[in-house]
Amino acid sequence: MLRIAVPNKGSLSGPAAEMLHEAGYQQRRESKELRIVDPVNEVEFFYLRPRDIAIYVASGRLDVGITGRDLLIDSGADAEEILPLGFARSTFRFAAKPGTANGIEDLKGKTVATSYEGIVAGHLADSGVDASVVHLDGAVETAIELGVAEVIADVVETGTSLRNAGLEVFGEPIMKSEAVVIRRTGTDGDEPKVQQFLRRLQGVLVARTYVMMDYDCRVEQLEKAVALTPGLESPTVSPLHNEGWVAVRAMVPAKEAQRIMDDLYAIGARAILTTAIHACRL
């Protein structure tokens, strides 16, 4: 069986379970379950702390895992990203009291508090900046107020909590993170069960990104219509019973669907509709 690590809690857990369910895999019914077997799909799921997943996958005991890019890099584990999943996106930034620093070059000789010591220490070293790093497990905003550090490095979403603490971000982002699928570095990338798993997840990503659009248009307007809906390879075009009309079907980006419908209507297309895509293989 394919052995897969899944986050057992936190911001990664719910979206990961939802994506796996959409991909056709059985998921646990209770949060107390730490392991389940999906015999139909020949998969065994292990529900682990997100920070530990890269370690387990790097050990070779598990074939693949879902975790955050930030957690993968911070772990220093011998594992690599093989598929970004598009959820749990975040940006990692430096922050301090106004006037403390304008860029990473101003951190020389200062102390940086963070929950991601591996990421920060590596980033400072790569930038040639000699600064101290203090590891904290959480609530790093208070480190400056209590005099533990002059600067913090943390995940920033809206920045509200930083502003409430009297801090501001500065410099370029340290990194951008999201949920990713990982495997042990150097393992066989063509292993059939792993490839099937990745294809299923890719199918979910496409299904979430695109909708199927159908419409009718006059033959003389077909080229303009197809230019608006080129599809992935090309649209499907079928003749209608009424001479001079064709039916067109194509996948279009969901976020652009309304605009495309307006443009199609403007050139004379009618009976325009969209339907959700629940699964696909490309």
Side-chain angles (χ1 to χ4, degrees), residues 45-62:
F45 291 103
F46 295 82
Y47 295 87
L48 307 170
R49 291 179 67 248
R51 276 191 172 273
D52 296 337
I53 287 176
I55 304 297
Y56 281 104
V57 172
S59 74
R61 302 294 183 181
L62 301 180

Side-chain angles (χ1 to χ4, degrees), residues 170-274:
F170 64 88
E172 295 296 319
I174 300 169
M175 69 170 295
K176 293 183 181 293
S177 182
E178 65 182 292
V180 296
V181 179
I182 65 171
R183 69 180 175 198
R184 185 180 183 183
T185 303
T187 53
D188 183 10
D190 295 325
E191 205 283 319
K193 289 183 179 180
V194 173
Q195 288 302 310
Q196 182 186 64
F197 175 68
L198 295 177
R199 280 196 299 271
R200 287 197 180 193
L201 295 186
Q202 288 167 334
V204 172
L205 292 172
V206 173
R208 290 178 173 183
T209 305
Y210 289 85
V211 294
M212 189 66 72
M213 184 170 290
D214 293 88
Y215 59 90
D216 301 338
C217 76
R218 298 284 305 178
V219 172
E220 55 266 27
Q221 297 298 327
L222 181 58
E223 290 304 316
K224 291 182 179 179
V226 168
L228 293 170
T229 59
L232 296 185
E233 280 83 25
S234 65
T236 300
V237 180
S238 306
L240 293 178
H241 180 70
N242 290 340
E243 187 175 351
W245 284 81
V246 292
V248 183
R249 162 170 280 201
M251 291 173 63
V252 302
K255 63 182 181 181
E256 298 179 18
Q258 292 294 335
R259 178 190 59 79
I260 293 172
M261 293 174 79
D262 291 338
D263 292 344
L264 286 171
Y265 192 89
I267 65 172
R270 295 296 182 265
I272 309 167
L273 59 90
T274 62

Side-chain angles (χ1 to χ4, degrees), residues 94 104-113 117 120-125 127-134 150-151:
F94 288 114
I104 190 170
E105 63 280 356
D106 298 325
L107 299 185
K108 183 178 180 180
K110 290 183 168 56
T111 301
V112 183
E117 184 178 1
V120 175
H123 185 66
L124 290 169
S127 302
V129 175
D130 184 13
S132 300
V133 180
V134 174
E150 297 98 334
V151 178

Side-chain angles (χ1 to χ4, degrees), residues 79-119:
E80 61 184 359
E81 173 184 334
I82 55 175
L83 179 67
L85 297 177
F87 64 84
R89 288 191 171 102
S90 61
T91 304
F92 205 65
R93 303 289 300 265
F94 288 114
K97 289 185 177 180
T100 301
N102 294 316
I104 190 170
E105 63 280 356
D106 298 325
L107 299 185
K108 183 178 180 180
K110 290 183 168 56
T111 301
V112 183
T114 184
S115 300
Y116 298 82
E117 184 178 1
I119 292 175

Side-chain angles (χ1 to χ4, degrees), residues 20 22 24 128:
L20 291 168
E22 290 180 36

